[in-house]
Amino acid sequence: MAYRTHHCGELRIADQGKEVELSGWVAKNRDFGGLTFIDLRDRYGITQLSFNDTVNPELLNSARGLGREFVIQVKGIVKERESKNKNIPTGEIELEVTELHVLNAAATPPFTIDNDTDGGEELRMQYRYLDIRREPVKNKLILRHQLAQKIRNYLSDAEFIEVETPVLIKSTPEGARDFVVPSRMNQGQFYALPQSPQTFKQLLMVAGMDKYFQIVKCFRDEDLRADRQPEFTQIDCEMSFVERDDVLNVFEGMVKAILKDVKGADLGQFPRITYADAMYHYGNDKPDTRFEMQFNYLKGGRNGDDLVSGQGFGIFDSAPAVIALNIKRGATRTRKEIDKLTDWVKRPQVGAKGLIYCRLGAEGAHKSSVDKFYGQDKLNEWAKFCDAEEGDLIVVISGDLIPAQTQMSALRLKLGEEEGLRDPSIFKPLWVVDFPLLEWDEEHKRYHAMHHPFTSPLAEDMELLKSDLSKVRANAYDMVINGVELGGGSIRIHDKALQSSMFDALGFTSAEAEAQFGFLMNAFKYGAPPHGGIAFGFDRMCALIGGTDSIRDYIAFPKNNMGRDVMIDAPSKVDVDQLNELGLKLK
Amino acid sequence: MAYRTHHCGELRIADQGKEVELSGWVAKNRDFGGLTFIDLRDRYGITQLSFNDTVNPELLNSARGLGREFVIQVKGIVKERESKNKNIPTGEIELEVTELHVLNAAATPPFTIDNDTDGGEELRMQYRYLDIRREPVKNKLILRHQLAQKIRNYLSDAEFIEVETPVLIKSTPEGARDFVVPSRMNQGQFYALPQSPQTFKQLLMVAGMDKYFQIVKCFRDEDLRADRQPEFTQIDCEMSFVERDDVLNVFEGMVKAILKDVKGADLGQFPRITYADAMYHYGNDKPDTRFEMQFNYLKGGRNGDDLVSGQGFGIFDSAPAVIALNIKRGATRTRKEIDKLTDWVKRPQVGAKGLIYCRLGAEGAHKSSVDKFYGQDKLNEWAKFCDAEEGDLIVVISGDLIPAQTQMSALRLKLGEEEGLRDPSIFKPLWVVDFPLLEWDEEHKRYHAMHHPFTSPLAEDMELLKSDLSKVRANAYDMVINGVELGGGSIRIHDKALQSSMFDALGFTSAEAEAQFGFLMNAFKYGAPPHGGIAFGFDRMCALIGGTDSIRDYIAFPKNNMGRDVMIDAPSKVDVDQLNELGLKLK
């Protein structure tokens, strides 16, 4: 007999009376003596099998011996169930089994294969092949597949060509650390694994490919923070003869179509906000705009307001920036709760010196931690300035502008979380544009490209390239949804003269520029079109759309924070012979 | 102005009178004094631009200065052409240019960007970004994209899930040589790049994924023969609860659908032939069946016929096998031509000792190179046996069975080529099944798995595992089209006891088996379903469908035979600092 005529998620009441065959795993075995029910599971669902004393005592006996996760094959007749299960699509029927084959026995799994398992993360990683049997993990991998399919079809319909770029490429000292691959045939030389296909996609534009994309593995040998993987997947895209808005429109369209399709979410037009405004209003270049809670500058803001100085409170007097946040209906927070918030912002990860608060009561009944310095009138002023009313809670952080912004941003996100304003089923997208072109590296006393050295400055900032590098804005953009940077890109430099100025600004000698980017610069001699592109973090996109924080769940076989695959136990030692062949020695 | 309103392949006579904008590369500049025509090229096609003395002398002047491959942007009015070009879709119109911007100048390319270029292969590889501008190369990359899309959609519709398996995995000493990646965080340890996702796809079956596929880069550090690349792309697939025919049907369906779609070819049902029969009739486990020319065993065949011994010709008397091939209408070949064939089979690459021939004339007028030993009656017998008639040419190779088969196979393919029987627009598929499970390694005096150690033996050959390992056939299969092995796979072992016997047969101690395949064996304890799969060489599939021999053309950025990317000059030296960080030293 073939292994099956149907899947375990397929049979319905309309199939009643049919003789069918199923194969799958024993998910549950409920033994009632003369009657045994088995939940048979495969990728597609669960079907209840029934074994009955009166029908076939021998078969019943075999069934009672089946342990969890045994692989079995059964033949039987589809029957209507006595007690129906409305929670599963096959819940109206069961299979009265007439034939049973054990295809494979199974040892007891080290954790339960349930939606809520008893296995800890390390154990589940070690037995990832069992973890994937669990519905939530399996569904995440299926979602990932569906998203990749939809993205490929969307871009393909829009005349993008997927081109596979090489994995064994050339190491460049710039940027993050490369993984390298020793070459046996060219001893003493190494390939590098790509951190992104950036150069190749630009070469494809020089090659006239016009619209390129690739869903592609990239590699970065970084010390791993939580939720960073040494190998990750990008949706990498590039277009020729485009300006910024052409790129934004295409990929806004793509993300809208996908979220509509998968989540039924209607995102509308994505707002566009400058980097400067994002930092000013949210202290963050990837603001979560599912909730408002914008910054109110009691001091140090753009309008020059100062609602705090000269009242004898030295901390505010000396602080360049004093930023307030209004927590609507937050005045119910107890003193203890506010102290906890204060402790939270004072942790080194946030780094604030302290947190000032003001509980807004009725007129004249505000209560603040700085009552000694600020009377009811002043607090009224604050309230008005922050658009706050009775029952709200104002919290204030002060200090140098950028640290205060960053600290307040962290607090804003935490408060949004606590107030339940960060609903994962709501999607709030925006574009952040006009990033700084360069960032100052204090350690090496030089500028680095914030994006990469081929990013074009904004046309209106070209003059600043000669006068004030710190002020030059890039024609670069990030797509942000719910506080997550989904992707980013830029319009590239295609003009040789401008590229030279850029290398100058970055402190490259022409020899250094030649050594590192020579082949790209050489390619640009032969007719480079204006071009620009974007790259999305696909793992992160899956997690965002799937509604969870961790990208790890969306990766079939992830690595841990030490870059190890604990399932296969990699990396591992290699034979000394193999090292000899590569012309290498361990130190 | 935006860069373009249309592509260069888009405008038709119906657009006459429209004002449009185009961007692209100057493909040709034909200067007739008061009139200049430019062919403007982009990915989508070519549009003729016209610049006219009477319309705008200044513009004409600028146009005359445009060199090949300059990137320009133009505005103009669509006009009907005077002399139409029926060979291109835009051939009825031209653009009378009213505005011209040079977006980028271009140095003269090192070879002509034409369908038939003057550039040699090495030069074109070095400037691959210019090579890709050429129509034939560009179209091959586009075909590759289309094939990948169609395959993904076909498999996705058939409920296959694409799962990305890791690239940084574990090195195993078995099989071909791995590329390794030193781990910085785990010094002295290495990742390996996958030669295939074999273990992971089997783990995904244990995980209950049921139907998996992936179009995925794989890596092999082999000495490169022509048309081997260190990185190559596989279509990797695996299914659970299947028998051989389930797998064959799915992928036969896939390849048929794709060839129907892309080439309009109707492949019909794929014949299935055993490995033994393929070797017997064609001397080859991937026979090109676009033409017949099957082997005729004058001696050493299955029926025990002997049409050659005892006539005083020592070479045939002592040869275990004497194989004849009938070249229809081949008797017109001159003596000189036949001598050339003889020289060809005697080259070390083929290795035959010589070639006997017999030109078939009218009854009694045959002419052979062994007339001294074989009279007209004997030659008549040969002719009859080979189904040959007047005007045909019989060629004969003798020796030990396998070398004679292999040599004759090489000759058969060459003759098919010479006779024009290997038309790349015809597709002749077949399945080769029942491969030997093991092959004897004379050097190490042990058996190796022909496919891999998880390949299941045929059910009917299980007993032979204990008696005669050389005779055990595998439940393995190859898809062959036009003499090219497109893909191969097998039904895997899912039973622990059988797997142990297999490791025994391969001469593994259980400790060795544990060290190498421990994590897979461990996974198999927890309920492995019956499963099997297949992997296709995607680069080769593209080349076959594209109708060319070289896979290199279908790879955007291929490496040369030394594994070098001559465009980016990789591999290359790395900093000693980087080696230090990795705990490595060059020897």
Side-chain angles (χ1 to χ4, degrees), chain A residues 43-44 104 133 144 159 164 167 177 189-191 206 210 231 233 494 526 528 563 571-572 581 585, chain B residues 43-44 104 133 144 159 164 167 177 189-191 206 210 231 233 494 526 528 563 571-572 581 585:
Chain A
R43 185 184 108 197
Y44 311 91
N104 227 337
R133 283 190 199 159
R144 183 184 178 105
E159 297 197 293
E164 295 174 54
V167 176
R177 214 182 273 106
Q189 298 187 23
F190 295 75
Y191 302 99
V206 177
D210 206 77
E231 53 180 296
T233 304
H494 67 280
Y526 296 100
S572 59
E581 276 197 319
K585 261 171 79 170
Chain B
R43 186 184 107 198
Y44 310 92
N104 226 337
R133 283 191 198 159
R144 184 184 177 105
E159 298 197 294
E164 294 174 54
V167 176
R177 213 181 275 104
Q189 298 186 25
F190 295 75
Y191 302 99
V206 177
D210 206 77
E231 53 180 298
T233 304
H494 67 280
Y526 296 100
S572 60
E581 276 197 319
K585 262 172 80 170

Side-chain angles (χ1 to χ4, degrees), chain B residues 129-158:
Chain B
Y129 46 86
L130 297 180
D131 202 26
I132 295 173
R133 283 191 198 159
R134 295 171 53 238
E135 190 86 356
V137 182
K138 179 195 75 186
N139 287 343
K140 287 186 175 97
L141 296 180
I142 292 176
L143 175 67
R144 184 184 177 105
H145 162 68
Q146 288 165 338
L147 291 175
Q149 278 294 114
K150 285 177 204 301
I151 289 164
R152 283 195 161 99
N153 286 328
Y154 187 93
L155 291 175
S156 201
D157 289 347

Side-chain angles (χ1 to χ4, degrees), chain A residues 264-303:
Chain A
D266 233 321
L267 297 194
Q269 214 192 325
F270 291 15
R272 295 177 188 181
I273 179 177
T274 63
Y275 170 86
D277 282 353
M279 291 304 294
Y280 188 73
H281 296 301
Y282 303 98
N284 199 318
D285 62 359
K286 40 179 195 279
D288 185 347
T289 52
R290 279 173 297 185
F291 61 108
E292 271 297 318
M293 256 196 226
Q294 293 196 7
F295 290 3
N296 303 287
Y297 289 82
L298 298 181
K299 184 181 172 185
R302 287 174 178 170
N303 300 327

Side-chain angles (χ1 to χ4, degrees), chain A residues 360-374:
Chain A
L360 294 182
E363 188 85 13
H366 308 316
K367 183 80 204 73
S368 87
S369 53
V370 284
D371 281 353
K372 216 194 293 179
F373 307 103
Y374 301 94

Side-chain angles (χ1 to χ4, degrees), chain A residues 362-387:
Chain A
E363 188 85 13
H366 308 316
K367 183 80 204 73
S368 87
S369 53
V370 284
D371 281 353
K372 216 194 293 179
F373 307 103
Y374 301 94
Q376 291 292 320
D377 281 359
K378 258 300 174 200
L379 297 180
N380 269 339
E381 263 183 52
W382 291 12
K384 214 168 159 186
F385 189 79
C386 298
D387 220 0

